[in-house]
């Protein structure tokens, strides 16, 4: 049984990217693979691109799709074992995961980090709870620590938009009024590290270092202007502090990406994005922006992951 929980579940990046290209030319080529099979998509947090792209990917593969939003539907779930359930949570993950396994062939789960309890977030209690108790493959649609569907779409986008053998890719922190999780940045760092041909670095203010076990061996530059010099791709994302977990240490507007800072590089962002806070309009509206291509590639990233899962059933 094959899961897709992390970019580390990609056995061959080149093969997955080639398959994505094949599917973009003929999305229904493997429609028979999922015929008669059902995917359940469970959302513990809001979604636009992830929900629609995964649903479309499943449709391309011939699957029936069922969706449940736990923020407004379903019982509040308990994830801790041995808990006396005399408070607000009505159902335990042990039963819920087994029940869903009877209704579905594949299960997608989306649950953000709390940003209040690092130990609990690092344990991935929602994702790993379903992995532990479900008897079907799990697709990570973003968890506390990772967003592997987004990272795969990002790698596809970079590959499609460069002819260079060693493109320079920079992940840049940007200001944001709210504390945001680390999942997108973590998975992007991991997938860049898996591709040694990419000249990859990270830039952010001091205090915004990501988990050092993830960024190990990646150059970190605290001067944004220096980091962005001669970049081919600038991937912009906000994240809260990891060391002072979940805290907003700075909202320095000087870190916003402008057309001047971007230079000749192509701009990337996972969306949604706050205009004129994270990035100025001139960049998003300009020809160097790849955000729509990234969003489109979300369908094919999901389709490749589901293809691999279905082949393993």
């Amino acid at each position: 049984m094959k899961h897709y929980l992390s970019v580390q579940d990609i056995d061959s990046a080149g093969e997955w990217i080639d398959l994505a290209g094949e599917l973009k030319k003929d999305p229904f080529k493997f429609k028979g693979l999922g015929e008669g099979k059902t995917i359940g998509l469970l959302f513990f947090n809001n979604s636009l691109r992830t929900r629609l792209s995964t649903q479309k990917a499943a449709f391309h593969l011939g699957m029936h799709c069922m969706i449940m939003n736990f923020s407004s539907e379903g019982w509040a779930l308990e994830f801790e074992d041995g808990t006396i359930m005399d408070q607000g949570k009505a159902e335990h993950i042990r039963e819920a995961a087994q029940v869903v396994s009877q209704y579905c062939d594949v299960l997608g789960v989306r649950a953000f980090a709390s940003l209040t309890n690092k130990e609990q977030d690092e344990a991935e209690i929602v994702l790993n709870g379903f992995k532990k108790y479900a008897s079907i493959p799990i697709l990570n649609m973003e968890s506390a620590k990772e967003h592997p569907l987004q990272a795969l779409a990002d790698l596809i986008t970079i590959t499609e938009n460069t002819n260079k053998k060693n493109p320079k890719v920079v992940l840049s922190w940007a200001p944001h009024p709210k504390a945001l999780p680390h999942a997108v940045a973590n998975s992007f760092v991991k997938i860049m590290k898996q591709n040694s041909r990419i000249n990859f670095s990270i830039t952010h203010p001091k205090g915004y270092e990501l988990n050092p076990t993830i960024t190990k061996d990646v150059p970190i530059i605290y001067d944004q202007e220096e980091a962005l010099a001669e970049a081919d791709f600038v991937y912009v994302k906000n994240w809260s502090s990891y060391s002072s977990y979940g805290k907003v240490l700075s909202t320095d507007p000087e870190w916003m990406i402008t057309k001047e800072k971007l230079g000749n590089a192509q701009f990337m962002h996972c969306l949604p994005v706050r205009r004129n806070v994270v990035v100025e309009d001139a960049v998003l509206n300009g020809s160097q922006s790849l955000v729509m291509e990234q969003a489109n590639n979300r369908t094919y990233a999901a389709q490749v992951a589901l293809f691999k899962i279905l082949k393993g059933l």
Side-chain angles (χ1 to χ4, degrees), residues 14 36 123 228 265 267 284:
L228 299 187
F267 174 83
L284 277 175

Side-chain angles (χ1 to χ4, degrees), residues 126-144:
V126 179
L127 186 69
N128 285 333
F130 280 102
K131 180 186 175 185
K132 181 177 180 180
Y133 293 115
S135 57
I136 56 177
I138 306 297
L139 175 70
N140 183 353
M141 300 192 299
E142 188 171 0
S143 64

Side-chain angles (χ1 to χ4, degrees), residues 80-136:
E80 297 290 337
D81 287 327
T83 302
I84 298 173
M85 293 175 57
D86 60 353
Q87 299 298 315
K89 295 179 179 178
E91 184 160 15
H92 199 280
I93 182 63
R94 183 185 291 262
E95 286 77 50
Q98 292 180 77
V99 166
V100 172
S101 297
Q102 296 176 352
Y103 302 153
C104 304
D105 300 285
V106 180
L107 182 64
V109 179
R110 180 178 174 92
F112 293 171
S114 68
L115 293 180
T116 57
N117 186 323
K118 182 190 282 190
E119 183 178 317
Q120 198 172 71
D121 287 346
E122 297 272 286
E124 294 276 29
I125 62 168
V126 179
L127 186 69
N128 285 333
F130 280 102
K131 180 186 175 185
K132 181 177 180 180
Y133 293 115
S135 57
I136 56 177

Side-chain angles (χ1 to χ4, degrees), residues 6-21:
S6 165
V7 296
Q8 291 162 320
D9 291 324
I10 299 173
D11 49 12
S12 170
E15 181 190 334
W16 286 47
I17 291 170
D18 288 345
L19 179 56

Side-chain angles (χ1 to χ4, degrees), residues 41 43 45-56 67 69 110 112 141-142 147 150 270-273 292 295 298-299:
L41 306 182
F43 290 89
N45 295 94
N46 294 338
S47 176
L48 174 64
R49 280 150 294 276
T50 298
R51 173 171 172 168
L52 297 180
S53 63
T54 307
Q55 192 172 359
K56 187 176 182 181
I67 298 174
N69 293 299
R110 180 178 174 92
F112 293 171
M141 300 192 299
E142 188 171 0
H147 198 346
Q150 181 65 56
C270 62
L271 302 181
V273 64
M292 289 300 115
R298 288 295 308 277
T299 295

